[in-house]
């Protein structure tokens, strides 16, 4: 579902060129869940943005469901995102002037899907927020906003779901609920899940774990509750 070949990211700074990502190569199978872990500033979110088509690679190749993401301009990347990708942000990124129901409906309406309201209502029920359908984001708790964001990400039934620190702003109880929702929906929809997290517990629930350090990516695995490098 995802093929990443020698991908790098270089940005210009006042001090010259800065290479954020060293050449990175890995594949993700259909329906697989993968966690990308690592310290702040290691390049995790940069890599996620490239994989989701939110930014351009400096070098290398990215294929999503066999489509060459790296070859397209912003319009082409937007088309691929719209057809194949869902994204969950740590900061929720809900539209403040829309209700919970309307926020969830929005991607379905943009994609021209049938019955967006019914789809949104079904997802609101699935995430336990039917009673909050007419509430605006500023009337919802952090955990409730993230559940709305998850429902919104799943409404188009994306082939690939990217999540950037989906539990980063939540307390332990809400984090656990969000984890359960993500993996239940992932399993039910056979959606490929790639998430960035600092949470080893969340990472441990994924099929695979990849560690980012100084722009380099290595495969790790959970052993006795601790992540250890593979090989």
């Amino acid at each position: 579902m995802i093929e990443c070949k020698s991908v790098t990211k270089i940005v210009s700074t006042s001090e010259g060129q800065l290479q954020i990502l060293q050449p990175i190569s890995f594949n993700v199978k259909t329906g697989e869940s993968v966690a990308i872990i690592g310290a702040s500033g290691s390049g995790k979110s940069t890599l996620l943005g490239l994989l989701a088509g939110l930014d351009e690679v400096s070098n290398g190749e990215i294929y999503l469901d066999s489509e060459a993401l790296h070859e397209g301009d912003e319009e082409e990347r937007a088309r691929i995102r719209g057809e194949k990708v869902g994204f969950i942000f740590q900061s929720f990124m809900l539209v403040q002037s829309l209700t919970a129901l309307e926020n969830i409906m929005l991607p379905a309406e943009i994609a021209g899907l049938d019955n967006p309201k019914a789809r949104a209502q079904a997802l609101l029920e699935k995430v336990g927020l039917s009673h909050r359908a007419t509430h605006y984001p500023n009337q919802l708790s952090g955990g409730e906003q993230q559940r709305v964001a998850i429902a919104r990400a799943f409404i188009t039934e994306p082939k690939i779901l990217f999540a950037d620190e989906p539990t980063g702003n939540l307390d332990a109880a809400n984090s656990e609920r969000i984890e359960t929702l993500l993996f239940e929906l992932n399993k039910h929809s056979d959606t490929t899940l790639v998430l960035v997290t600092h949470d080893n517990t969340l990472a441990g629930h994924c099929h695979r774990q990849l560690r980012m350090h100084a722009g380099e990516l290595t495969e790790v695995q959970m052993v006795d509750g601790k992540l250890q490098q593979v090989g």
Side-chain angles (χ1 to χ4, degrees):
M1 182 57 67
I2 302 173
E3 189 174 5
C4 189
K5 297 181 177 180
S6 301
V7 167
T8 66
K9 183 62 180 178
I10 301 169
V11 297
S12 297
T13 72
S14 58
E15 298 178 356
Q17 299 290 94
L18 174 64
Q19 185 155 348
I20 299 175
L21 298 181
Q22 306 299 323
I24 287 174
S25 300
F26 68 99
N27 296 331
V28 181
K29 298 176 183 177
T30 300
E32 194 171 29
S33 56
V34 176
I36 302 173
I37 62 171
S40 296
S42 60
K44 306 186 304 298
S45 293
T46 297
L47 176 59
L48 202 69
L50 295 175
L51 295 175
L54 299 174
D55 196 7
E56 292 183 272
V57 302
S58 297
N59 293 289
E61 303 172 13
I62 297 176
Y63 298 89
L64 296 186
D65 194 27
S66 300
E67 291 207 62
L69 190 66
H70 59 283
E71 292 180 353
D73 57 15
E74 171 52 31
E75 184 176 348
E76 177 64 8
R77 293 199 307 274
R79 179 193 66 78
I80 294 172
R81 286 197 305 269
E83 293 177 358
K84 302 178 187 294
V85 171
F87 205 104
I88 300 170
F89 299 88
Q90 179 180 359
S91 55
F92 319 134
M93 299 293 284
L94 301 177
V95 180
Q96 296 299 311
S97 60
L98 299 181
T99 65
L101 182 66
E102 291 166 343
N103 264 284
I104 298 169
M105 288 171 57
L106 187 60
E109 292 175 326
I110 292 172
L113 300 182
D114 294 334
N115 303 315
K117 186 174 182 179
R119 289 170 182 260
Q121 287 172 329
L123 278 165
L124 262 179
E125 184 174 354
K126 191 167 287 187
V127 301
L129 288 175
S130 295
H131 62 298
R132 298 293 233 166
T134 60
H135 289 70
Y136 292 90
N138 65 3
Q139 297 172 313
L140 303 174
S141 69
E144 288 171 334
Q145 289 186 64
Q146 191 62 298
R147 280 188 272 162
V148 171
I150 289 172
R152 179 184 60 183
F154 274 98
I155 194 168
T156 58
E157 299 181 355
K159 292 189 173 184
I160 309 166
L161 179 65
F162 296 101
D164 192 359
E165 297 285 3
T167 61
N169 284 332
L170 307 178
D171 59 29
N174 275 307
S175 292
E176 187 174 346
R177 184 165 194 170
I178 294 304
E179 288 174 25
T180 301
L181 272 174
L182 277 175
F183 290 105
E184 280 182 355
L185 291 169
N186 163 247
K187 184 178 180 179
H188 179 264
S189 305
D190 198 31
T191 299
T192 303
L193 175 62
V194 179
L195 58 88
V196 159
T197 184
H198 283 99
D199 185 345
N200 283 354
T201 301
L202 177 57
H205 290 152
C206 293
H207 294 119
R208 292 166 58 205
Q209 297 82 34
L210 303 172
R211 175 179 283 142
M212 182 76 76
H213 177 70
E216 296 184 345
L217 199 65
T218 56
E219 185 109 16
V220 293
Q221 62 184 3
M222 189 72 72
V223 178
D224 297 328
K226 296 181 179 180
L227 290 166
Q228 298 181 3
Q229 188 164 331
V230 174

